[in-house]
Amino acid sequence: MKNYKKASIASLTTCLSFVSSSNLFAAGCVGAEAEKADAAYQSGFAQYRDGHLDAAYEHLKSAYGLCSASERYRNDFLVAAVSDGYAEEALAIAAQLDVAALPPYVIEALGRGARDRHQPDLAIHYYNAILAAGENVGVRVGRDLAVIDQGRN
């Protein structure tokens, strides 16, 4: 599991650009609420980048809770939730979303989360969404592992 968490951290750090300007990602929030959300987001991202997944999860959950309209907060919270062992929570949120509108790094995390929760059909659904956009060897391997988990060859 540690290698998975390290890979997730590297993936999120690569996919996201950490920006320090206030309120940049606080879509739908204003004033003090936006400032709190932005501070929580930036702290959570820094914690995630440094490998402190428990703290990252809490901060990113707080940012998302304060500004649930922010796609950035939601997406990064979903990845952190899966990485920190809260796949069920992430999958429940994702069930209400249009998978095609999510970035590949989030869909891949959800696929891993579904596999972690022993839901191979859901994992295959997420992996196929990425593969529909083009070939991705890592995702292809994840999908194939989910098919094995499902009991098909």
Side-chain angles (χ1 to χ4, degrees):
M1 188 63 132
K2 279 190 174 190
N3 288 336
Y4 167 67
K5 287 182 179 182
K6 285 181 184 177
S8 294
I9 291 167
S11 176
L12 182 63
T13 301
T14 300
C15 292
L16 303 178
S17 56
F18 181 71
V19 180
S20 61
S21 63
S22 268
N23 303 328
L24 182 62
F25 301 121
C29 298
V30 294
E33 184 179 71
E35 290 178 23
K36 278 181 167 178
D38 188 56
Y41 175 81
Q42 290 185 36
S43 179
F45 184 83
Q47 293 291 332
Y48 196 96
R49 185 183 58 227
D50 292 340
H52 306 289
L53 298 180
D54 291 339
Y57 166 80
E58 292 300 329
H59 288 285
L60 292 171
K61 182 175 184 172
S62 175
Y64 176 57
L66 288 166
C67 293
S68 59
S70 170
E71 290 180 9
R72 170 76 73 168
Y73 292 172
R74 180 202 63 217
N75 291 344
D76 295 350
F77 169 66
L78 292 174
V79 173
V82 170
S83 296
D84 198 34
Y86 296 93
E88 201 165 302
E89 183 177 5
L91 293 171
I93 293 168
Q96 303 168 33
L97 304 173
D98 176 13
V99 177
L102 296 173
Y105 76 96
V106 175
I107 301 170
E108 186 170 359
L110 293 169
R112 288 182 183 178
R115 283 197 64 228
D116 290 347
R117 300 300 307 150
H118 308 288
Q119 297 178 21
D121 291 337
L122 185 57
I124 291 167
H125 167 73
Y126 285 125
Y127 291 132
N128 282 340
I130 298 171
L131 291 170
E135 189 62 34
N136 179 316
V137 174
V139 171
R140 172 73 61 194
V141 170
R143 183 195 176 283
D144 291 347
L145 290 172
V147 168
I148 290 169
D149 292 345
Q150 190 181 45
R152 299 187 316 194
N153 289 331

Short mmCIF file of all heavy atoms in Angstrom, two decimals, residues 121-148:
data_model
loop_
_atom_site.label_atom_id
_atom_site.label_comp_id
_atom_site.label_asym_id
_atom_site.label_seq_id
_atom_site.Cartn_x
_atom_site.Cartn_y
_atom_site.Cartn_z
N ASP A 121 -16.38 -4.16 -11.31
CA ASP A 121 -17.21 -3.60 -12.39
C ASP A 121 -17.10 -2.08 -12.43
O ASP A 121 -17.00 -1.48 -13.50
CB ASP A 121 -18.68 -4.00 -12.23
CG ASP A 121 -18.92 -5.48 -12.47
OD1 ASP A 121 -18.08 -6.11 -13.16
OD2 ASP A 121 -19.92 -6.01 -11.97
N LEU A 122 -17.13 -1.46 -11.26
CA LEU A 122 -17.01 -0.01 -11.19
C LEU A 122 -15.61 0.43 -11.59
O LEU A 122 -15.43 1.42 -12.31
CB LEU A 122 -17.34 0.49 -9.77
CG LEU A 122 -17.37 1.99 -9.57
CD1 LEU A 122 -18.36 2.66 -10.52
CD2 LEU A 122 -17.70 2.30 -8.11
N ALA A 123 -14.60 -0.32 -11.17
CA ALA A 123 -13.22 0.00 -11.55
C ALA A 123 -13.07 -0.05 -13.07
O ALA A 123 -12.47 0.86 -13.67
CB ALA A 123 -12.24 -0.98 -10.89
N ILE A 124 -13.61 -1.07 -13.69
CA ILE A 124 -13.54 -1.21 -15.15
C ILE A 124 -14.24 -0.02 -15.81
O ILE A 124 -13.75 0.53 -16.80
CB ILE A 124 -14.13 -2.56 -15.59
CG1 ILE A 124 -13.20 -3.69 -15.14
CG2 ILE A 124 -14.34 -2.60 -17.10
CD1 ILE A 124 -13.82 -5.07 -15.24
N HIS A 125 -15.38 0.37 -15.25
CA HIS A 125 -16.09 1.54 -15.78
C HIS A 125 -15.19 2.77 -15.79
O HIS A 125 -15.10 3.49 -16.80
CB HIS A 125 -17.35 1.78 -14.93
CG HIS A 125 -18.00 3.10 -15.16
ND1 HIS A 125 -18.71 3.40 -16.31
CD2 HIS A 125 -18.02 4.22 -14.39
CE1 HIS A 125 -19.16 4.64 -16.22
NE2 HIS A 125 -18.75 5.16 -15.08
N TYR A 126 -14.51 3.03 -14.69
CA TYR A 126 -13.63 4.20 -14.62
C TYR A 126 -12.44 4.07 -15.56
O TYR A 126 -12.09 5.00 -16.28
CB TYR A 126 -13.15 4.44 -13.19
CG TYR A 126 -14.23 5.02 -12.30
CD1 TYR A 126 -14.59 4.40 -11.11
CD2 TYR A 126 -14.89 6.18 -12.66
CE1 TYR A 126 -15.57 4.94 -10.30
CE2 TYR A 126 -15.88 6.72 -11.85
CZ TYR A 126 -16.21 6.09 -10.68
OH TYR A 126 -17.19 6.63 -9.88
N TYR A 127 -11.81 2.91 -15.57
CA TYR A 127 -10.66 2.71 -16.47
C TYR A 127 -11.07 2.84 -17.93
O TYR A 127 -10.35 3.43 -18.74
CB TYR A 127 -9.97 1.37 -16.20
CG TYR A 127 -9.26 1.30 -14.86
CD1 TYR A 127 -9.43 0.23 -14.01
CD2 TYR A 127 -8.40 2.32 -14.46
CE1 TYR A 127 -8.78 0.15 -12.79
CE2 TYR A 127 -7.75 2.24 -13.25
CZ TYR A 127 -7.93 1.16 -12.41
OH TYR A 127 -7.27 1.10 -11.21
N ASN A 128 -12.21 2.30 -18.27
CA ASN A 128 -12.68 2.41 -19.66
C ASN A 128 -12.93 3.85 -20.06
O ASN A 128 -12.75 4.23 -21.22
CB ASN A 128 -13.94 1.57 -19.88
CG ASN A 128 -13.64 0.10 -20.04
OD1 ASN A 128 -12.52 -0.28 -20.35
ND2 ASN A 128 -14.64 -0.73 -19.83
N ALA A 129 -13.36 4.68 -19.11
CA ALA A 129 -13.58 6.10 -19.41
C ALA A 129 -12.28 6.78 -19.82
O ALA A 129 -12.26 7.61 -20.73
CB ALA A 129 -14.18 6.81 -18.19
N ILE A 130 -11.19 6.42 -19.20
CA ILE A 130 -9.89 6.99 -19.57
C ILE A 130 -9.43 6.41 -20.90
O ILE A 130 -8.96 7.13 -21.77
CB ILE A 130 -8.83 6.73 -18.48
CG1 ILE A 130 -9.23 7.41 -17.17
CG2 ILE A 130 -7.46 7.25 -18.93
CD1 ILE A 130 -8.35 7.04 -16.00
N LEU A 131 -9.58 5.10 -21.03
CA LEU A 131 -9.12 4.45 -22.26
C LEU A 131 -9.88 4.91 -23.49
O LEU A 131 -9.35 4.91 -24.59
CB LEU A 131 -9.20 2.93 -22.12
CG LEU A 131 -8.21 2.33 -21.12
CD1 LEU A 131 -8.54 0.86 -20.87
CD2 LEU A 131 -6.78 2.49 -21.61
N ALA A 132 -11.12 5.34 -23.30
CA ALA A 132 -11.91 5.84 -24.43
C ALA A 132 -11.28 7.08 -25.04
O ALA A 132 -11.47 7.36 -26.23
CB ALA A 132 -13.34 6.14 -23.99
N ALA A 133 -10.52 7.81 -24.24
CA ALA A 133 -9.87 9.03 -24.72
C ALA A 133 -8.53 8.74 -25.39
O ALA A 133 -7.96 9.62 -26.03
CB ALA A 133 -9.67 10.00 -23.56
N GLY A 134 -8.02 7.55 -25.24
CA GLY A 134 -6.73 7.19 -25.84
C GLY A 134 -6.01 6.16 -25.00
O GLY A 134 -6.38 5.90 -23.85
N GLU A 135 -4.99 5.57 -25.56
CA GLU A 135 -4.25 4.50 -24.89
C GLU A 135 -3.45 5.06 -23.73
O GLU A 135 -2.82 6.11 -23.82
CB GLU A 135 -3.31 3.80 -25.89
CG GLU A 135 -2.65 2.55 -25.34
CD GLU A 135 -3.66 1.46 -24.99
OE1 GLU A 135 -4.69 1.34 -25.67
OE2 GLU A 135 -3.40 0.72 -24.03
N ASN A 136 -3.49 4.35 -22.62
CA ASN A 136 -2.74 4.69 -21.43
C ASN A 136 -2.33 3.36 -20.80
O ASN A 136 -3.18 2.63 -20.29
CB ASN A 136 -3.62 5.52 -20.48
CG ASN A 136 -2.92 5.90 -19.21
OD1 ASN A 136 -2.24 5.09 -18.58
ND2 ASN A 136 -3.09 7.15 -18.83
N VAL A 137 -1.03 3.07 -20.81
CA VAL A 137 -0.55 1.76 -20.37
C VAL A 137 -0.88 1.51 -18.90
O VAL A 137 -1.35 0.43 -18.54
CB VAL A 137 0.97 1.62 -20.62
CG1 VAL A 137 1.50 0.33 -20.03
CG2 VAL A 137 1.26 1.69 -22.10
N GLY A 138 -0.66 2.50 -18.04
CA GLY A 138 -0.96 2.32 -16.62
C GLY A 138 -2.42 2.03 -16.37
O GLY A 138 -2.78 1.18 -15.56
N VAL A 139 -3.28 2.72 -17.08
CA VAL A 139 -4.72 2.50 -16.93
C VAL A 139 -5.11 1.15 -17.51
O VAL A 139 -5.95 0.44 -16.96
CB VAL A 139 -5.51 3.64 -17.60
CG1 VAL A 139 -6.99 3.34 -17.64
CG2 VAL A 139 -5.26 4.95 -16.85
N ARG A 140 -4.49 0.78 -18.61
CA ARG A 140 -4.77 -0.54 -19.21
C ARG A 140 -4.42 -1.64 -18.20
O ARG A 140 -5.18 -2.59 -18.02
CB ARG A 140 -3.97 -0.70 -20.50
CG ARG A 140 -4.00 -2.08 -21.13
CD ARG A 140 -5.28 -2.45 -21.80
NE ARG A 140 -5.58 -1.56 -22.91
CZ ARG A 140 -6.76 -1.51 -23.48
NH1 ARG A 140 -7.73 -2.30 -23.09
NH2 ARG A 140 -7.00 -0.69 -24.45
N VAL A 141 -3.30 -1.51 -17.51
CA VAL A 141 -2.91 -2.50 -16.50
C VAL A 141 -3.94 -2.51 -15.36
O VAL A 141 -4.38 -3.58 -14.92
CB VAL A 141 -1.49 -2.21 -15.96
CG1 VAL A 141 -1.18 -3.07 -14.73
CG2 VAL A 141 -0.46 -2.45 -17.04
N GLY A 142 -4.35 -1.33 -14.90
CA GLY A 142 -5.36 -1.26 -13.84
C GLY A 142 -6.66 -1.91 -14.25
O GLY A 142 -7.28 -2.66 -13.48
N ARG A 143 -7.08 -1.65 -15.49
CA ARG A 143 -8.31 -2.25 -15.99
C ARG A 143 -8.17 -3.76 -16.05
O ARG A 143 -9.07 -4.50 -15.65
CB ARG A 143 -8.66 -1.71 -17.37
CG ARG A 143 -9.99 -2.27 -17.88
CD ARG A 143 -10.18 -2.04 -19.37
NE ARG A 143 -11.39 -2.65 -19.83
CZ ARG A 143 -11.55 -3.95 -20.05
NH1 ARG A 143 -10.58 -4.80 -19.84
NH2 ARG A 143 -12.70 -4.43 -20.47
N ASP A 144 -7.04 -4.25 -16.56
CA ASP A 144 -6.82 -5.68 -16.65
C ASP A 144 -6.82 -6.34 -15.27
O ASP A 144 -7.35 -7.44 -15.10
CB ASP A 144 -5.53 -5.99 -17.41
CG ASP A 144 -5.63 -5.64 -18.88
OD1 ASP A 144 -6.75 -5.39 -19.38
OD2 ASP A 144 -4.57 -5.60 -19.54
N LEU A 145 -6.25 -5.67 -14.28
CA LEU A 145 -6.26 -6.20 -12.92
C LEU A 145 -7.69 -6.24 -12.38
O LEU A 145 -8.07 -7.19 -11.66
CB LEU A 145 -5.36 -5.37 -12.01
CG LEU A 145 -3.86 -5.51 -12.27
CD1 LEU A 145 -3.09 -4.49 -11.46
CD2 LEU A 145 -3.39 -6.92 -11.98
N ALA A 146 -8.50 -5.24 -12.71
CA ALA A 146 -9.90 -5.26 -12.28
C ALA A 146 -10.66 -6.38 -12.94
O ALA A 146 -11.52 -7.01 -12.31
CB ALA A 146 -10.55 -3.90 -12.59
N VAL A 147 -10.35 -6.68 -14.19
CA VAL A 147 -11.00 -7.80 -14.89
C VAL A 147 -10.61 -9.11 -14.19
O VAL A 147 -11.46 -9.99 -13.98
CB VAL A 147 -10.61 -7.84 -16.39
CG1 VAL A 147 -11.02 -9.14 -17.03
CG2 VAL A 147 -11.23 -6.65 -17.11
N ILE A 148 -9.36 -9.24 -13.79
CA ILE A 148 -8.93 -10.44 -13.05
C ILE A 148 -9.68 -10.51 -11.72
O ILE A 148 -10.15 -11.57 -11.33
CB ILE A 148 -7.40 -10.42 -12.84
CG1 ILE A 148 -6.68 -10.63 -14.18
CG2 ILE A 148 -6.98 -11.48 -11.82
CD1 ILE A 148 -5.21 -10.37 -14.15
#
